[in-house]
Amino acid sequence: MTTHSASARWPVPAAPPVYDPVLFARAMRDMRLTWRARGVLAELTTGYVPGQGPAMRELASLTRAERGAVAEGREAFAKAVAELRTLGYLAPDGTTATGVGEHLVVNLAPAADARLVQDQGPPDVER
């Protein structure tokens, strides 16, 4: 079994990368995204210094032991990434000969068009 030592290759940044906090908050509440896709986006947005994160195939190939007992499978991860790519939250970095990069770059601009649940104040409490 191959272990990837993810923490050694992909260090956690001392501080989260700088993204527009309003766009990040909107992205985390974008009702066009599944909870799974939001989790992947949060990981990629806050967990890695831009340009120093893992390739998608590296994340997808982490073993269950490396990801923990509650980890979802490769297919679930691939679906979340595809969802994020479809809405424009992730885009290939274009570093390969085919123009389709192994690394995907986070783009929070689609959050400007996020579908949000409108805040209507605190719920009424019946006693």
Side-chain angles (χ1 to χ4, degrees):
M1 174 164 77
T2 303
T3 55
H4 292 85
S5 302
S7 61
R9 291 193 305 170
W10 309 315
V12 175
V18 179
Y19 287 97
D20 181 318
V22 172
L23 285 179
F24 179 73
R26 289 179 65 87
M28 291 299 102
R29 291 174 179 85
D30 191 343
M31 294 297 121
R32 299 174 299 172
L33 296 172
T34 61
W35 289 108
R36 178 184 296 141
R38 290 183 218 176
V40 170
L41 183 59
E43 168 74 15
L44 295 175
T45 304
T46 63
Y48 306 98
V49 174
Q52 295 181 4
M56 293 301 107
R57 67 173 168 71
E58 291 174 305
L59 285 175
S61 70
L62 290 172
T63 66
R64 185 163 294 279
E66 290 170 313
R67 293 179 292 130
V70 296
E72 295 177 331
R74 290 180 184 147
E75 186 175 316
F77 178 76
K79 284 181 181 180
V81 168
E83 184 179 334
L84 292 165
R85 286 186 72 173
T86 297
L87 288 173
Y89 281 107
L90 296 178
D93 69 359
T95 59
T96 65
T98 63
V100 179
E102 286 282 342
H103 290 83
L104 294 176
V105 177
V106 173
N107 176 13
L108 294 180
D113 297 322
R115 192 177 78 209
L116 305 174
V117 173
Q118 297 301 313
D119 183 11
Q120 300 188 13
D124 292 333
V125 178
E126 292 185 27
R127 295 178 193 242

